[in-house]
Amino acid sequence: MRMEFVLEIARVVLYVVGILAFVGFNASYLVLLERKGSARFQLRHGPTEVGPFGLIQPVADAVKLLCKQILIPKNVDVILFFMAPILVLLPAILCMVTIPFGATIAARNFNLGLLMVFAFAAFNVFGILIGGWASHNKYANLAAARVVAQNIAYEIPTLLIVVAVVMVTGTFNLQEIVAQQAGGFWRWNILRLDLNPLQPVAFLMYFICLLAETNRAPFDMVEAESELVAGAYTEYSGMTFGVFFMAEYTNIVLGCCVATVLFLGGWQCPFGLVPGPHWFLLKMYALCFTVIWVRWSFPRVQFYNLLNLSWKILIPVSLANIILTALMLKVF
Amino acid sequence: MRNTIQEIISGAYSLAVGMKITICNLFRPTVTLHYPHESATMPARFRGHVELACDPETGKPKCVVCMACQRACPSGCISLDGQKSESGKGKVLTAYSLDFSLCSLCGLCVESCKFDALRFSKQYNLAFTRREECTFNLLERAQVKK
Amino acid sequence: MSLDVQNLDRETFVVNLGPQHPATHGVLRIKLTMDGEYIVDAEPVLGYIHRMHEKMGENRSYAKFLPNMGRMDYVAALFNSHGYVAAVERLAGITVPERAEFIRVITCELNRVASHLLWLGAYLIDLGGFTPMLYAFDDREMILDLLEAVTGARLTFCYFRFGGVANDVDENFVSGTRVFVARMRSRMPMYEAFVSKNIIFRKRCEGIGVISAETCRRYGATGPVIRGSGVAYDVRKAEPYSAYPRFQFNVAVSDLCDNMGRYRVRVDEIVESLRIIEQAIDQLPGGPVMAEKVPRSLKPPKGDCYFNVESARGSFGVRVVSDATENAYRLKLRSPCLSNLHLFRECSRGMLLPDALAMLGSLDLVIPDIDR
């Protein structure tokens, strides 16, 4: 009894430290990947000075952000102003709890893991809204209003697509969803055409929703630097801005993790050999790279076209996807 | 309906083409210079700030203190002084100062000089923290260089 | 998407776009009265970078004022110099040698391509796409290297003189220009695929920011703005100057009237400019590059002269009134950007903020040219 209790405590501490480290590492090194990647896309060098190939640059960035003064403008609602970055970052970290990195590596194996992920992920928009509102800045207010409309519009297709996947898998347990996809890449959900011929389209739509949910270009209404200066983050400086930044990348990692689990077979190997966390990370980082790649390829979508895309294309198609899945399940 | 579907497909194709172009560029060599470690070479006609040209034989500035450059300068950033030379013929330059904070690098001074006594330097890394540093003593610079 | 501004009785608020705002490319300030994201009124506030160039031109000798000309529209500095130099030459009755005219045309057209490339990049940044700018700058760099080798500067060239040009071009410039023309031609399909055909870009341009030809005429808009509205007005054709009548080229026109129309005009103009450059390089005559007997201190006879050139942004005009002294009695500079900017107030009414900024970008404003 006591032994189990101690082990449980040790497990909790281990996973808390592990997830925090994972989030911190990703947030800082994805920034570096973004800077390096964007530089190479644009035929530039990117950071090279701090450490070999600029590898210690994130440390320098973090030190810089920590040392900077946090400016609190006049008329700001101080409590909400500081709450906002935390409200954005915390849910993303919480969601990491359910992600199965390997057959035995998951902080908590919930039966309703998928539901928890989407419940907490919806918090993200709340934080940005509060931040934009509390800043008492017109640019920030406008951006915050945009973000709410955007995230609500994209929450719906995301969930509809996920519902279709859940209908196929029959479970909300992420570990089980991965386990069902064992045996080779043709068993992954993205290629289960026997269950639903629209599955690759569903994955593509999920990816678009992922970009929009995480406010990434070409859907970066929250920043829209050429229109709204820095959008909802206009008044944030120093580490408060740094936390928003971390949250952005954490949300990307989380979205890519979920996409990997739902569609790309999680930690399963494409050829049925040596499954394990390395496959999970490989797929996840490939998706992260694609997110960055998309950002540096396209201009920003207009605000109303973004909503049009969601309401007029993504939602009808994802509804059709659900009906098709249901039919396929019933008929075959 | 048909138009919408067509637009979605052609739009998705155009996005795929865009992504192909960026990924191709990812593997091309970079075109920028790695600045502090490499720096660009200035072409022969590069208009930097002016400097005094010296006679290769005597090592003295070729300037004869005709004041043409001072008159030609639109910004009034050149001031020079001279005195009668010991041999009695012409003048010898005693001071030549260029106020770089006023200079617009137009090159009219070099054009106005009939004795090729002025030329452009190839220096372009010019940054100062104090105003006084912007005033160059060109005579001193010419002698140091020599 | 637009809003009925007339029948509006809702609460509005004011947003300052600038003087330091990423979308205004300089110290332009636009006071936007907004209803939510819709623009009710947009009032441009000028003067943040006013340097009294016209007054300076009246207090300095002609030659001393010449370097100032590159500092107005610094993106296409040669056109300003060309306008001023040609106006004074006409006033003083100086004939420019043929070779010098050809060199002026070649360098001006190179400058036009550089300016349009810079616009292309900056416009895509306005629309939120960063990468095309770096590709455009990669090409623009070649032009700047070519011009730097000839003029000695990369931006404020100050290359033209009364009666000719400051330096003759050498063989390297000629061959380098040929290489550039070939390279730029081969790059155009990339821009078409990467930018023009991109669905997001098209959605942001097609049907957005419509300016009618009538509005353009009323505000005196020129250059790609009026040509993007279907009016084939180009000073190079309407009032041919310099060596332009010798070359075959088309005036790029588009009757789309929207952002896409102006975009198309500029892209087509790059191709036309390459044609002009190629012809001029092929036909480049020998001879001097400076007229003989241009006095050091120019004192044109009493008179009044206006000279118009087609700059990268539209018709740039210089009016010089001489009273037979060393300084001009009156100097008036007509900058295309000032007229092009004032369209914005009327046309942006009822537009959404992102669309209005996309239109502002498509006008290709250079702020020091507006304020002078």
Side-chain angles (χ1 to χ4, degrees):
Chain A
M1 173 64 204
R2 174 165 292 171
M3 197 54 207
E4 271 173 32
F5 184 71
V6 170
L7 273 177
E8 184 61 22
I9 295 278
R11 211 177 86 90
V12 168
V13 170
L14 194 69
Y15 274 107
V16 165
V17 171
I19 286 175
L20 284 180
F22 183 69
V23 165
F25 171 82
N26 274 316
S28 49
Y29 274 87
L30 278 182
V31 175
L32 183 68
L33 179 70
E34 173 117 53
R35 290 175 64 181
K36 268 290 192 195
S38 72
R40 297 311 304 256
F41 279 131
Q42 300 169 343
L43 312 173
R44 298 183 285 119
H45 287 286
T48 50
E49 292 302 304
V50 190
F53 308 106
L55 280 176
I56 309 175
Q57 185 73 37
V59 180
D61 285 351
V63 169
K64 183 200 80 173
L65 281 173
L66 283 168
C67 294
K68 269 184 149 174
Q69 186 189 2
I70 297 173
L71 290 168
I72 306 168
K74 228 171 153 186
N75 295 329
V76 153
D77 189 325
V78 179
I79 296 172
L80 293 183
F81 189 72
F82 285 112
M83 224 166 86
I86 300 165
L87 266 181
V88 180
L89 181 61
L90 217 52
I93 297 179
L94 275 177
C95 291
M96 285 289 176
V97 167
T98 64
I99 303 293
F101 293 97
T104 50
I105 311 170
R108 273 266 174 249
N109 193 9
F110 287 85
N111 270 337
L112 292 174
L114 194 56
L115 213 56
M116 181 194 150
V117 167
F118 285 101
F120 276 111
F123 251 78
N124 177 12
V125 53
F126 195 54
I128 297 176
L129 171 68
I130 287 181
W133 179 257
S135 299
H136 205 272
N137 176 306
K138 286 167 189 164
Y139 298 125
N141 271 350
L142 277 174
R146 284 178 177 192
V147 167
V148 173
Q150 176 188 345
N151 278 39
I152 288 173
Y154 279 88
E155 203 96 315
I156 298 167
T158 317
L159 291 177
L160 290 177
I161 295 160
V162 170
V163 164
V165 174
V166 170
M167 282 163 80
V168 171
T169 57
T171 174
F172 278 116
N173 188 321
L174 293 174
Q175 197 64 276
E176 244 173 74
I177 293 176
V178 176
Q180 283 176 6
Q181 302 178 56
F185 62 89
W186 57 92
R187 299 278 301 165
W188 293 357
N189 277 335
I190 184 176
L191 291 171
R192 290 297 294 274
L193 303 178
D194 55 324
L195 292 172
N196 176 1
L198 278 182
Q199 210 65 299
V201 181
F203 172 71
L204 206 64
M205 290 199 301
Y206 180 85
F207 189 74
I208 294 171
C209 294
L210 161 71
L211 291 177
E213 284 272 304
T214 51
N215 301 314
R216 287 287 294 188
F219 306 107
D220 55 344
M221 289 303 131
V222 62
E223 269 195 77
E225 76 283 341
S226 60
E227 294 155 23
L228 299 173
V229 188
Y233 312 145
T234 308
E235 298 291 359
Y236 283 92
S237 56
M239 209 49 211
T240 50
F241 177 74
V243 172
F244 268 124
F245 220 64
M246 270 176 78
E248 185 185 329
Y249 286 96
T250 311
N251 275 316
I252 293 169
V253 170
L254 177 68
C256 294
C257 284
V258 174
T260 313
V261 168
L262 288 184
F263 290 99
L264 300 179
W267 40 264
Q268 305 285 4
C269 170
F271 325 104
L273 302 165
V274 214
H278 48 285
W279 286 109
F280 182 89
L281 291 178
L282 193 71
K283 294 168 193 173
M284 195 264 287
Y285 283 121
L287 279 179
C288 288
F289 176 77
T290 315
V291 171
I292 290 169
W293 177 14
V294 166
R295 173 171 179 186
W296 298 105
S297 298
F298 306 130
R300 186 178 304 114
V301 177
Q302 271 135 322
F303 182 58
Y304 50 83
N305 278 335
L306 174 120
L307 296 183
N308 280 348
L309 176 68
S310 167
W311 293 103
K312 290 186 181 167
I313 299 176
L314 293 182
I315 292 180
V317 175
S318 52
L319 278 172
N321 183 36
I322 287 185
I323 295 167
L324 193 69
T325 314
L327 278 178
M328 298 285 279
L329 282 177
K330 272 284 162 207
V331 175
F332 302 107
Chain B
M1 185 65 189
R2 175 177 248 173
N3 283 346
T4 319
I5 291 171
Q6 224 164 34
E7 191 179 12
I8 293 171
I9 292 169
S10 69
Y13 176 72
S14 75
L15 296 183
V17 169
M19 285 179 75
K20 192 191 134 219
I21 289 172
T22 40
I23 201 77
C24 288
N25 278 307
L26 185 67
F27 300 107
R28 274 177 53 199
T30 53
V31 292
T32 49
L33 282 176
H34 207 145
Y35 168 60
H37 309 296
E38 308 168 274
S39 48
T41 45
M42 292 295 114
R45 280 180 191 163
F46 176 73
R47 296 204 308 259
H49 69 79
V50 287
E51 60 185 15
L52 290 171
C54 293
D55 197 324
E57 283 168 25
T58 59
K60 287 196 172 133
K62 290 188 199 164
C63 181
V64 296
V65 202
C66 69
M67 302 293 202
C69 47
Q70 196 181 18
R71 278 197 302 275
C73 181
S75 324
C77 55
I78 295 173
S79 55
L80 67 164
D81 207 2
Q83 60 184 39
K84 278 257 168 66
S85 78
E86 283 156 18
S87 60
K89 248 173 46 183
K91 278 182 165 181
V92 173
L93 190 65
T94 54
Y96 198 114
S97 99
L98 170 76
D99 189 346
F100 192 64
S101 65
L102 297 177
C103 179
S104 58
L105 300 172
C106 64
L108 292 183
C109 44
V110 176
E111 232 165 87
S112 71
C113 186
K114 286 178 188 156
F115 304 92
D116 291 332
L118 281 177
R119 62 165 186 239
F120 298 116
S121 79
K122 299 283 169 280
Q123 246 180 317
Y124 62 98
N125 291 319
L126 295 159
F128 314 102
T129 49
R130 283 180 304 138
R131 187 158 217 167
E132 299 83 66
E133 291 171 40
C134 297
T135 313
F136 300 164
N137 186 344
L138 292 189
L139 193 60
E140 209 172 75
R141 282 182 179 224
Q143 271 147 12
V144 166
K145 207 169 201 181
K146 185 184 64 191
Chain C
M1 284 250 154
S2 62
L3 178 78
D4 184 7
V5 181
Q6 259 73 44
N7 307 315
L8 190 86
D9 55 347
R10 283 189 287 168
E11 206 181 339
T12 57
F13 62 100
V14 175
V15 171
N16 264 314
L17 195 74
Q20 294 126 328
H21 187 281
T24 53
H25 305 293
V27 283
L28 171 68
R29 176 176 165 216
I30 298 177
K31 243 170 88 180
L32 297 173
T33 310
M34 313 238 316
D35 175 26
E37 290 241 3
Y38 289 99
I39 290 172
V40 178
D41 189 28
E43 184 193 346
V45 183
L46 306 180
Y48 285 91
I49 193 166
H50 200 282
R51 290 147 300 166
M52 297 182 292
H53 274 307
E54 291 179 7
K55 204 72 201 161
M56 277 159 106
E58 291 158 20
N59 288 307
R60 289 179 172 189
S61 73
Y62 290 98
K64 278 187 182 177
F65 183 62
L66 206 46
N68 281 42
M69 295 309 290
R71 278 152 176 94
M72 293 172 41
D73 180 353
Y74 53 74
V75 181
L78 282 172
F79 295 100
N80 296 352
S81 312
H82 198 174
Y84 181 63
V85 161
V88 173
E89 279 161 3
R90 186 180 277 182
L91 203 58
I94 301 168
T95 359
V96 182
E98 206 174 21
R99 187 177 170 83
E101 290 283 24
F102 271 68
I103 292 171
R104 281 182 184 182
V105 168
I106 295 167
T107 48
C108 272
E109 291 305 320
L110 280 174
N111 205 183
R112 189 190 308 277
V113 175
S115 168
H116 284 342
L117 281 174
L118 181 111
W119 170 82
L120 182 85
Y123 187 48
L124 262 292
I125 285 191
D126 280 355
L127 300 183
F130 201 91
T131 307
M133 181 190 116
L134 275 296
Y135 297 166
F137 268 48
D138 185 17
D139 292 330
R140 179 173 174 264
E141 201 62 18
M142 268 191 92
I143 305 180
L144 293 191
D145 284 344
L146 282 173
L147 289 177
E148 189 188 19
V150 175
T151 67
R154 297 173 72 82
L155 209 61
T156 51
F157 301 109
C158 187
Y159 177 52
F160 300 158
R161 298 283 182 273
F162 305 116
V165 293
N167 305 310
D168 197 357
V169 298
D170 53 9
E171 204 40 56
N172 285 339
F173 176 80
V174 172
S175 57
T177 309
R178 278 188 211 280
V179 170
F180 168 74
V181 169
R183 175 195 153 107
M184 195 63 218
R185 286 228 170 96
S186 70
R187 292 276 283 181
M188 292 317 281
M190 188 278 283
Y191 287 112
E192 291 288 335
F194 192 41
V195 181
S196 324
K197 288 197 182 133
N198 187 301
I199 181 80
I200 301 174
F201 178 77
R202 275 173 46 206
K203 285 267 176 202
R204 295 213 62 172
C205 285
E206 285 172 0
I208 307 290
V210 175
I211 304 172
S212 69
E214 207 270 328
T215 317
C216 285
R217 287 208 186 91
R218 214 148 26 84
Y219 282 94
T222 45
V225 176
I226 198 167
R227 289 199 287 278
S229 295
V231 181
Y233 174 72
D234 188 320
V235 181
R236 289 173 296 175
K237 288 276 189 194
E239 308 165 47
Y241 58 93
S242 194
Y244 280 109
R246 308 254 196 117
F247 308 122
Q248 301 264 318
F249 64 98
N250 299 324
V251 178
V253 193
S254 165
D255 42 18
L256 294 169
C257 300
D258 53 6
N259 292 350
M260 197 48 146
R262 294 185 278 280
Y263 169 82
R264 282 254 57 96
V265 165
R266 293 202 176 91
V267 171
D268 294 345
E269 249 177 39
I270 293 179
V271 178
E272 291 301 324
S273 291
L274 294 181
R275 263 179 82 191
I276 299 175
I277 294 166
E278 205 167 41
Q279 291 173 49
I281 285 280
D282 285 341
Q283 301 170 21
L284 189 66
V289 293
M290 267 303 269
E292 284 165 29
K293 292 180 201 154
V294 177
R296 192 148 269 211
S297 70
L298 202 62
K299 285 182 191 167
K302 257 190 185 171
D304 185 345
C305 167
Y306 183 78
F307 199 93
N308 221 354
V309 292
E310 179 71 22
S311 106
R313 276 159 201 82
S315 141
F316 174 77
V318 181
R319 183 182 174 203
V320 188
V321 182
S322 164
D323 54 356
T325 56
E326 273 197 349
N327 302 353
Y329 171 72
R330 174 80 175 98
L331 182 75
K332 161 75 189 153
L333 305 166
R334 184 230 181 256
S335 83
C337 288
L338 184 72
S339 320
N340 292 355
L341 166 70
H342 285 92
L343 289 167
F344 184 69
R345 188 169 195 177
E346 186 179 313
C347 295
S348 68
R349 245 168 234 164
M351 278 173 101
L352 279 164
L353 180 67
D355 290 344
L357 291 180
M359 184 176 90
L360 186 68
S362 77
L363 297 175
D364 192 10
L365 303 172
V366 172
I367 313 306
D369 192 36
I370 296 172
D371 273 342
R372 301 194 295 290

